[in-house]
Amino acid sequence: MTQAEKEIRFQEKIDREIKIEPNDWMPDEYRQTLVRQISQHAHSEIVGMLPEGNWITRAPNLRRKAVLLAKVQDEAGHGLYLYSAVETLGTSREQTIDDLHSGKAKYSSIFNYPALTWADIGTIGWLVDGAAIMNQVALCRTSYGPYARAMVKICKEESFHQRQGYESLMKLCSGTPQQKAMAQDAMNRFWWPALMMFGPSDADSTHSDQSIKWKIKRFTNDELRQSFVDATVAQAEILGLTIPDPNLKWNEARGHYDFSEINWEEFWQVVKGNGPCNKERLAARVKAKEEGAWVREAATAFAKKRAMKKSA
Amino acid sequence: MSTNEWPLWEVFIRSKQGLNHKHVGSLRAPDATLALENARDVYTRRSEGISIWVVESVQIHATDIDEAASFFEPSDTKIYRHPTFYEVPDGVKHM
């Protein structure tokens, strides 16, 4: 079979909604796109543990602390499902992680913003996990089998992440004026970065068309962003929080909310590594790997010793 | 450490008594004991299992995807292995 014939047959499978599995033939570009997207997703789960992990010891009570711990532990698990999915494409885990540490691979730019107050933790659960879920639910039907299966599991686990955040904000918003102000301040800082999580606008998205054709993505960045805005407005109203956008208003003709243009200059700056926390986040990951090396070496040595005893 | 990656393990979980162990994913671990503990932490955080198997991925032998059509061909052509192949009069019951 020629390359062209293989590609036609591959696209036919995609069009018939047949999932692609690790040993199936796939175009090199399909494989590369998946490695890039899934590893970026995995890194986001892992780096995403940093701003929240920082608040575990400062959670206001034992219940919130247990919940936050469980959420951060979930993110570690989600990173792992996704790293495993990347490995099925023939890229080693070590290489995938080294690419993050060298700055070659990206992660979601939202985690380059700091979590300054306790209200930020609730807001991250509500808006950041909410935006992530919007994206991930769509990915449950992605064309690559291992990625789709990881997404199904992640979505099942993640719905509590958004709910716990919303519940925590509910408490703050019905508390003292200072607590309410703290929630509004978090909303003001996280709203725009949350909208940026859906990536560049469709007009500027380099990989979008091909990814839609291959059904790696099922919806475009702008479609998902619009769904998120439409779903979130009413939730903000119930909290009594104001969305920091004077142009946000219902458009009867479109059946959607209109909203202001995103500050793309800021978006690209953060993507390029110039956000408030880019250096700190990467440094924390590199440090964790270097300082944890002895644990991995000890575990390997112990496993060898036990194997020798068994065979003796 | 980069030249010395831990082996890959495939994880199978029995969700409840009476059901098969089912493949749920994979992970890396230095040995079977740690693979089982990691599998518990990664794949059963919400009571998904009562029993876990881990198998080193290199121990799994699989059919060749390129040979699948000819490999499975014998079962596709024998439609008389299915009960619907046989005609039975309408009045016949319990069959």
Side-chain angles (χ1 to χ4, degrees):
Chain A
M1 217 186 303
T2 67
Q3 182 76 7
E5 282 169 341
K6 280 183 183 170
E7 278 176 22
I8 289 168
R9 199 187 259 199
F10 177 81
Q11 189 61 50
E12 277 171 2
K13 262 169 103 174
I14 300 273
D15 294 342
R16 282 161 53 214
E17 297 289 334
I18 295 174
K19 294 273 189 253
I20 308 302
E21 294 295 344
N23 293 330
D24 295 351
W25 185 89
M26 60 186 87
D28 288 343
E29 206 193 321
Y30 178 84
R31 190 184 296 275
Q32 286 153 13
T33 302
L34 282 172
V35 168
R36 189 186 59 245
Q37 184 174 326
I38 305 172
S39 67
Q40 192 169 318
H41 199 156
H43 298 325
S44 301
E45 300 283 353
I46 299 300
V47 176
M49 294 161 73
L50 297 170
E52 292 185 305
N54 203 23
W55 277 90
I56 291 173
T57 54
R58 291 179 283 165
N61 58 52
L62 197 54
R63 180 180 186 270
R64 298 277 173 217
K65 186 174 181 169
V67 167
L68 191 55
L69 203 53
K71 180 179 189 297
V72 172
Q73 197 187 11
D74 271 355
E75 311 297 5
H78 297 172
L80 211 135
Y81 307 153
L82 290 162
Y83 282 132
S84 296
V86 178
E87 274 193 282
T88 65
L89 292 157
T91 309
S92 86
R93 183 164 312 191
E94 198 73 16
Q95 185 60 51
T96 306
I97 291 168
D98 286 347
D99 283 348
L100 169 71
H101 294 181
S102 72
K104 189 182 158 212
K106 302 284 180 218
Y107 54 89
S108 180
S109 54
I110 190 79
F111 302 117
N112 290 317
Y113 292 86
L116 301 174
T117 71
W118 173 249
D120 287 14
I121 297 303
T123 306
I124 288 171
W126 172 41
L127 294 179
V128 175
D129 286 82
I133 290 167
M134 193 60 83
N135 194 25
Q136 290 171 167
V137 166
L139 285 171
C140 288
R141 290 171 53 237
T142 190
S143 58
Y144 186 57
Y147 192 23
R149 291 192 286 275
M151 277 301 120
V152 170
K153 200 158 163 51
I154 288 173
C155 285
K156 237 187 242 171
E157 297 184 347
E158 244 175 39
S159 63
F160 111 72
H161 295 186
Q162 192 184 18
R163 287 175 70 112
Q164 66 80 33
Y166 194 78
E167 186 204 66
S168 166
L169 283 179
M170 228 26 224
K171 266 273 188 289
L172 287 178
C173 289
S174 56
T176 63
Q178 288 89 340
Q179 286 174 317
K180 176 94 187 266
M182 187 163 76
Q184 182 64 54
D185 169 63
M187 171 90 186
N188 294 348
R189 282 180 290 110
F190 275 93
W191 175 253
W192 292 105
L195 293 196
M196 291 177 198
M197 285 174 69
F198 296 96
S201 73
D202 295 350
D204 298 321
S205 180
T206 33
H207 310 292
S208 222
D209 285 350
Q210 187 59 65
S211 287
I212 294 269
K213 196 172 163 230
W214 279 333
K215 297 187 182 173
I216 293 174
K217 282 168 124 180
R218 310 297 303 228
F219 300 96
T220 69
N221 295 353
D222 286 337
E223 284 168 348
L224 289 166
R225 189 168 10 245
Q226 182 71 62
S227 304
F228 176 72
V229 172
D230 291 347
T232 309
V233 172
Q235 295 169 0
E237 273 168 22
I238 291 172
L239 288 170
L241 293 178
T242 308
I243 291 177
D245 180 359
N247 299 316
L248 183 85
K249 80 169 191 293
W250 180 251
N251 183 325
E252 194 67 47
R254 287 203 313 129
H256 291 292
Y257 281 94
D258 289 339
F259 54 97
S260 300
E261 187 68 17
I262 283 172
N263 180 350
W264 294 113
E265 173 58 24
E266 177 183 330
F267 172 81
W268 290 114
Q269 279 301 323
V270 180
V271 169
K272 282 176 190 145
N274 302 321
C277 302
N278 293 57
K279 289 183 184 69
E280 185 187 331
R281 299 295 187 231
L282 263 196
R285 289 314 309 155
V286 172
K287 180 168 176 264
K289 190 182 175 193
E290 283 171 1
E291 293 186 357
W294 71 270
V295 179
R296 295 190 298 277
E297 281 159 19
T300 307
F302 185 67
K304 266 192 199 141
K305 194 171 122 190
R306 214 159 27 182
M308 264 161 62
K309 256 192 197 155
K310 235 184 215 170
S311 62
Chain B
M1 191 67 209
S2 56
T3 51
N4 193 17
E5 277 198 16
W6 290 342
L8 192 66
W9 302 77
E10 299 301 324
V11 181
F12 300 81
I13 290 177
R14 186 200 292 284
S15 58
K16 63 174 192 179
Q17 211 69 11
L19 295 178
N20 292 330
H21 283 77
K22 197 177 152 199
H23 183 245
V24 293
S26 55
L27 51 77
R28 287 191 176 272
D31 62 15
T33 311
L34 276 170
L36 284 169
E37 286 179 17
N38 290 355
R40 174 200 58 196
D41 293 344
V42 177
Y43 292 106
T44 64
R45 286 194 304 281
R46 289 172 176 77
S47 317
E48 290 96 335
I50 55 158
S51 165
I52 303 176
W53 290 349
V54 290
V55 182
E56 256 192 84
S57 308
V58 292
Q59 300 295 339
I60 290 181
H61 302 269
T63 53
D64 183 350
I65 191 85
D66 296 323
E67 306 288 323
S70 62
F71 191 82
F72 293 106
E73 187 275 337
S75 76
D76 292 337
T77 52
K78 295 177 180 60
I79 53 171
Y80 46 84
R81 282 175 172 170
H82 298 276
T84 46
F85 179 75
Y86 302 94
E87 277 188 33
V88 172
D90 283 349
V92 176
K93 294 205 166 77
H94 308 299
M95 191 182 279

